[in-house]
Amino acid sequence: MRSVRDHQEAIHGLFGPPEAVEVAVTDALGLVTAVDVVTGVSLPGFDNSAMDGYAVLGADLAEASTEHPVTLPMAADIPAGRTDRLTLTPGTVARIMTGAPLPGGADAVVPVEQTASGPVRGRFAPVDQGPQQIRFTAPIPVGKNIRVAGSDIVAGEVAIRAGTELHAPQLGLLAAIGAGTVRVWRRPRVVVLSTGSELVAPGHRLRHGQIYESNSPMLAAAATEAGALARTVHFVPDDVDGFLTRIAEIAGEADLIVTSGGVSAGAFEVVKDALIATGGVEFAKVAMQPGMPQGCGHVTDPSGQAVPIITLPGNPVSSLVSFEVFIRPPLRTKMGLPPHRARVTARLRGSVGSPAGKRQFLRGVLERDGDGWVVDPIGPPSSHHLRYLAGANALIDVATDITALADGVDVEVLVLD
């Protein structure tokens, strides 16, 4: 049988390098920058107020105190967004709002809470009270409460480095520097197709021998969670011609096709039968549990281009574990994202067995225990026990040469959540 590592390498070879595209900043959440983003503007773009208050010349307030307050007339009103350029005359002040441009000559801003304006203390007086005299009871250092132009970033500097995953703060910075688009690594289009005459869509009544289709939504969700653009297509019955027709229909719209089911050694293995006949796909038994029957290779789209296809086993636990072990890392690499989930060493709580010659991935519940980790194996190892996979937050990775693990030993754990 093929080793897990060898099959990982075979699947990794299906994926080409990341592809750079230009997308709107509003559509870039979770994507990774392909190039450095250099800002064309400084932030702030002009000296502005960090407070609601009064723009002043510090020298005018040098002698101000509680016993000897300084009272100055308000000569101008500067709301945020005012675009004309003002100059402050010595011996006057300008009422100014947070973010508003500082008038020429002003060198400090006194917060409104530290002033008195007629009978109104600690807040702005109504604008209809006529000319206002503002009383100050303390000096203020030059530069106080002023946001200096370029104090955040200067035009020509790198705002976002290549290889940065874009989340809310990075998108906010891109918007602030006026970037409408950003060059990122493209999300692969993943199409998921399940096969099997026994499969029934949710909402329909089951007949004897039928089951609800679960693999397609599960695998599409896993691909989406990994960062790809994933969709499902209607599954097909166990018919080779029907399967090949469906593949031909979707190949031109996919960067990767993922199938589940029909790859084992039974009499109605439609995926295996169809793709062996067309060539381009290799099937193998991989020394792992769950997920032994696997396949990977290429199919041809209508334009003659080769499209990667990965065929997973049909049992739901085998299918999702296979996705985690084989597909998720190269899929994320294709997008410039960190490929691997976290791994930790944990103390096993309970004893388990493992089949000789196979690398086993056991479902487990991982939790902190003081300064370390402990993991509880849950559920039997059979690959149809989806309930226990849904309750797991980790996979216990048992090496090929181990057949038994005793309670309390250290094990390697793949963290799913």
Side-chain angles (χ1 to χ4, degrees):
M1 287 191 286
R2 174 182 284 178
S3 71
V4 169
R5 184 176 297 278
D6 285 346
H7 196 61
Q8 286 172 326
E9 291 176 357
I11 287 182
H12 193 276
L14 300 177
F15 291 79
E19 301 171 29
V21 293
E22 198 85 12
V23 302
V25 166
T26 51
D27 295 330
L29 179 65
L31 296 175
V32 174
T33 48
V35 295
D36 289 347
V37 179
V38 177
T39 178
V41 300
S42 296
L43 295 179
F46 48 86
D47 293 348
N48 67 81
S49 176
M51 296 282 182
D52 292 338
Y54 297 93
V56 301
L57 281 75
D60 289 340
L61 306 185
E63 304 300 325
S65 66
T66 303
E67 295 78 13
H68 301 286
V70 172
T71 302
L72 299 173
M74 192 181 83
D77 217 359
I78 311 177
R82 185 164 178 173
T83 58
D84 56 331
R85 296 178 182 272
L86 302 178
T87 299
L88 189 65
T89 302
T92 66
V93 302
R95 181 165 60 175
I96 192 168
M97 303 299 121
T98 301
L102 199 71
D107 57 18
V109 173
V110 179
V112 63
E113 295 86 356
Q114 297 175 14
T115 67
S117 175
V120 183
R121 300 184 62 84
R123 61 188 178 93
F124 291 126
V127 294
D128 59 357
Q129 286 190 353
Q132 295 183 35
Q133 300 290 320
I134 313 302
R135 188 163 69 247
F136 301 89
T137 58
I140 189 166
V142 170
K144 187 71 172 179
N145 301 321
I146 293 175
R147 300 167 177 162
V148 178
S151 57
D152 188 2
I153 192 169
V154 176
E157 287 188 320
V158 174
I160 305 287
R161 293 286 180 190
T164 300
E165 189 174 347
L166 298 174
H167 295 289
Q170 294 80 26
L171 296 179
L173 177 56
L174 289 171
I177 65 174
T181 62
V182 60
R183 196 157 185 80
V184 295
W185 299 122
R186 183 172 69 84
R187 296 185 194 274
R189 300 165 301 165
V190 178
V191 177
V192 180
L193 171 65
S194 289
T195 64
S197 297
E198 75 278 14
L199 302 178
V200 175
H204 293 74
R205 184 176 179 180
L206 291 176
R207 299 172 62 187
H208 180 67
Q210 293 181 327
I211 60 173
Y212 286 120
E213 157 64 347
S214 61
N215 285 1
S216 285
M218 179 175 66
L219 292 171
T224 300
E225 184 185 55
L229 295 172
R231 69 182 182 93
T232 63
V233 296
H234 187 65
F235 49 83
V236 298
D238 292 327
D239 176 77
V240 168
D241 290 338
F243 174 78
L244 291 175
T245 298
R246 180 66 76 181
I247 290 293
E249 291 171 352
I250 65 178
E253 305 170 359
D255 300 302
L256 172 66
I257 299 171
V258 177
T259 70
S260 65
V263 296
S264 191
F268 300 97
E269 305 299 336
V270 61
V271 175
K272 192 173 185 180
D273 294 343
L275 296 179
I276 285 178
T278 59
V281 178
E282 178 186 15
F283 293 90
K285 292 182 178 180
V286 178
M288 65 183 287
Q289 187 185 62
M292 182 177 69
Q294 301 282 342
C296 65
H298 293 90
V299 293
T300 304
D301 72 9
S303 69
Q305 292 291 112
V307 178
I309 184 168
I310 300 171
T311 66
L312 304 178
N315 277 317
V317 177
S318 298
S319 198
L320 189 57
V321 169
S322 296
F323 181 93
E324 285 289 336
V325 174
F326 299 120
I327 300 178
R328 192 177 194 274
L331 188 63
R332 286 178 61 82
T333 299
K334 180 79 172 175
M335 292 177 279
L337 292 165
H340 299 295
R341 291 192 185 270
R343 283 180 174 266
V344 300
T345 299
R347 177 169 50 84
L348 184 66
R349 206 149 49 184
S351 58
V352 296
S354 187
K358 288 187 178 181
R359 185 171 169 183
Q360 184 169 211
F361 296 90
L362 294 170
R363 287 143 280 184
V365 175
L366 181 71
E367 61 185 14
R368 295 292 299 184
D369 181 27
D371 294 333
W373 295 94
V374 294
V375 63
D376 291 283
I378 59 170
S382 299
S383 56
H384 67 284
H385 290 287
L386 187 56
R387 167 190 175 185
Y388 294 105
L389 183 60
N393 64 359
L395 293 176
I396 304 168
D397 189 351
V398 184
T400 306
D401 58 349
I402 294 176
T403 57
L405 290 169
D407 178 71
V409 302
D410 286 343
V411 292
E412 187 176 3
V413 176
L414 178 68
V415 183
L416 299 180
D417 181 6

